[in-house]
């Protein structure tokens, strides 16, 4: 069984089309190239895209004359294009060499004063000890964060907001109970039973004023 013939790669197609240009050194319409392409193994449907890649890479030229667009390429075009690429690569190489030399110089400058010595070792050891002490003190300060005046003040403000909100909801509950009593007097027993299930008992009342409550017990009273 014969293996299936492999199609041409894009580079191979480009070479085939360029060969058409070089052999004739003439100008072609696209439809003419689409007829000549299959003779070189390039199917007509792909000729347009292949030619465009050659134009994009400056390996082929095109120009519009009247209503027609002509394509052409001479061996000298490829030579010029290669020379342009070479000049660009050479320029990039010189720039890279210059940048490398600058980095080497900077590296050498940074090494000055950092040569290994007893003084340097002692300085590094001292720096490490200071960093360790800083970390230790920072952790110790974290243990006293609860006693920070700013933290205590923020806690007081939060308690005041929570206290006011609790009493506001208590007032809403009393208002709702009164409304239910006025509108559903015949369901008094059922309502009382419902209130008890919800924790609204006879001793349910507003929270005491903050001035009468120790700071450390306010939280517990609000939760209750």
């Amino acid at each position: 069984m014969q293996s299936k013939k492999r199609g041409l790669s894009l580079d191979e197609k480009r070479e085939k089309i360029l060969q058409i240009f070089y052999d004739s050194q003439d100008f072609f319409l696209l439809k003419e190239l689409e007829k000549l392409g299959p003779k070189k193994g390039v199917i007509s449907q792909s000729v347009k895209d292949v030619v465009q890649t050659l134009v994009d890479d400056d390996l082929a030229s095109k120009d519009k004359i009247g209503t027609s667009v002509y394509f052409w390429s001479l061996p000298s075009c490829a030579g010029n294009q290669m020379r342009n690429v070479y000049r660009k690569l050479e320029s990039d190489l010189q720039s890279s060499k210059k940048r490398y030399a600058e980095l080497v110089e900077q590296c050498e400058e940074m090494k000055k004063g950092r040569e290994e010595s007893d003084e340097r070792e002692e300085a590094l050891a001292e720096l490490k000890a200071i960093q360790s002490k800083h970390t230790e003190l920072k952790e110790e300060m974290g243990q006293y964060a609860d006693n920070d005046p700013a933290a205590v003040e923020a806690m007081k403000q939060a308690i005041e907001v929570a206290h006011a909100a609790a009493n506001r909801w208590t007032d809403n509950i009393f208002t709702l109970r009164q409304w239910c009593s006025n509108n559903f007097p015949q369901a008094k027993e059922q309502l009382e039973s419902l209130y008890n299930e919800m924790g609204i008992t006879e001793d349910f009342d507003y929270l005491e004023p903050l001035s009468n409550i120790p700071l450390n017990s306010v939280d517990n009273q609000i939760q209750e």
Side-chain angles (χ1 to χ4, degrees):
M1 181 176 180
Q2 293 182 343
S3 60
K4 187 175 180 181
K5 186 177 179 181
R6 181 182 66 86
L8 298 177
S9 67
L10 177 58
D11 287 339
E12 291 172 332
K13 292 177 182 179
R14 284 158 57 96
E15 291 177 5
K16 297 293 184 181
I17 298 299
L18 281 175
Q19 198 59 51
I20 294 175
F21 287 126
Y22 295 163
D23 289 345
S24 64
Q25 298 190 26
D26 201 353
F27 299 86
F28 296 92
L29 294 169
L30 180 60
K31 62 182 180 181
E32 294 174 333
L33 292 171
E34 289 175 340
K35 291 180 180 179
L36 295 172
K39 295 180 180 180
K40 293 289 187 178
V42 183
I43 61 175
S44 59
Q45 292 89 338
S46 65
V47 168
K48 180 179 179 180
D49 292 336
V50 174
V51 171
Q52 186 58 51
T53 66
L54 294 173
V55 173
D56 293 340
D57 291 342
D58 294 328
L59 291 174
S61 302
K62 73 174 182 178
D63 200 0
K64 186 174 183 181
I65 302 176
T67 58
S68 301
V69 178
Y70 288 87
F71 298 87
W72 72 93
S73 180
L74 303 174
S76 59
C77 294
N80 290 334
Q81 198 268 351
M82 293 300 295
R83 281 189 287 273
N84 290 335
V85 171
Y86 173 80
R87 283 194 290 268
K88 184 179 185 306
L89 292 175
E90 184 68 21
S91 176
D92 291 344
L93 176 61
Q94 295 303 322
S95 297
S96 297
K97 287 182 177 179
K98 181 179 179 182
R99 179 57 178 162
Y100 173 75
E102 292 174 350
L103 291 175
V104 170
E105 184 179 355
Q106 291 177 10
C107 183
E108 293 299 326
E109 286 293 328
M110 293 177 67
K111 287 181 180 179
K112 292 180 180 180
R114 299 187 180 186
E115 297 82 0
E116 294 298 330
S117 64
D118 293 340
E119 291 80 4
R120 175 176 169 78
E121 290 298 326
E122 292 177 2
L124 289 175
E126 184 177 356
L127 175 61
K128 186 174 181 180
I130 292 174
Q131 290 175 335
S132 177
K133 187 62 176 178
H134 175 267
T135 301
E136 181 182 338
L137 291 174
K138 188 175 181 180
E139 292 176 354
E140 185 176 350
M141 287 178 62
Q143 299 176 2
Y144 298 103
D146 292 340
N147 296 325
D148 182 14
V152 173
E153 182 61 29
M155 185 183 298
K156 288 181 178 180
Q157 293 179 5
I159 290 173
E160 290 177 0
V161 172
H163 185 272
N167 279 337
R168 185 166 58 253
W169 278 104
T170 299
D171 191 55
N172 291 339
I173 291 172
F174 283 146
T175 300
L176 179 61
R177 286 185 62 177
Q178 186 63 44
W179 183 87
C180 290
S181 298
N182 294 339
N183 289 274
F184 306 102
Q186 70 279 10
K188 180 178 180 181
E189 294 183 1
Q190 291 91 329
L191 288 173
E192 290 297 333
S193 176
L194 179 61
Y195 297 151
N196 289 331
E197 291 178 6
M198 297 175 63
I200 305 175
T201 57
E202 292 183 357
D203 58 352
F204 180 79
D205 203 349
Y206 296 98
L207 295 178
E208 296 181 24
L210 283 176
S211 57
N212 299 335
I213 305 174
L215 180 62
N216 58 2
S217 67
V218 174
D219 239 358
N220 294 333
Q221 184 178 5
I222 292 177
Q223 291 178 0
E224 293 172 358

